[in-house]
Amino acid sequence: MEKEILYNSNMHFEHEQWKGELAFWKGELVFFNNRLSELVTRWTNKDVLAQLEHYQNEFILHGGVIEDLQETIEKHEERIAGQSIEGEDAIDVQLAKQHVEFRNKMETQREIYADLKKEFFRFLEKYM
């Protein structure tokens, strides 16, 4: 079994990709919340309003997750920058381990968010 070697430059590159993805998600949440606002003015049915509240809560939760993920990336970046300033090119084993764990979190969150979007788009098709 081959082990993956994580260099600071590679982790930084992946962080930049993730930051872009998280920023995109954040923008989508603004769009989704705007759709919710439109629907609230169109519907008085309690079942529909309950579903709107459900999505609003999901979007709030997801927004919090995005902020947590962004904060974690920033902390990792600070550690990488600290090593660069000190001229250390050695691999920080703990940081590499955290990076792999974070990568798994991103993959999981990507799936959760994709499922939420699919569900929300089906809802929009029905009630927009």
Side-chain angles (χ1 to χ4, degrees), residues 29-87:
L29 289 179
V30 170
F31 172 80
F32 296 154
N33 281 306
N34 288 339
R35 295 297 76 79
L36 289 177
S37 295
E38 288 176 32
L39 288 169
V40 164
T41 62
R42 291 184 189 182
W43 291 91
T44 57
N45 180 295
K46 290 182 188 221
D47 291 333
V48 175
L49 293 175
Q51 289 178 311
L52 289 172
E53 185 177 3
H54 162 74
Y55 286 113
Q56 182 181 34
N57 291 336
E58 287 293 320
F59 297 152
I60 290 168
L61 289 172
H62 194 72
V65 169
I66 289 171
E67 288 177 13
D68 291 345
L69 294 172
Q70 288 172 323
E71 186 178 311
T72 301
I73 290 171
E74 288 307 313
K75 286 179 184 175
H76 282 209
E77 282 294 309
E78 288 172 11
R79 247 174 111 176
I80 290 171
Q83 285 182 331
S84 296
I85 290 170
E86 294 173 12

Side-chain angles (χ1 to χ4, degrees), residues 24-25 28-29 32 55 59 62 110-124:
F24 182 78
W25 290 352
E28 282 185 319
L29 289 179
F32 296 154
Y55 286 113
F59 297 152
H62 194 72
R110 206 175 276 128
E111 291 173 18
I112 291 168
Y113 186 58
D115 289 344
L116 174 61
K117 283 174 40 174
K118 285 179 204 171
E119 182 183 318
F120 184 61
F121 286 134
R122 286 188 199 113
F123 174 79
L124 287 179

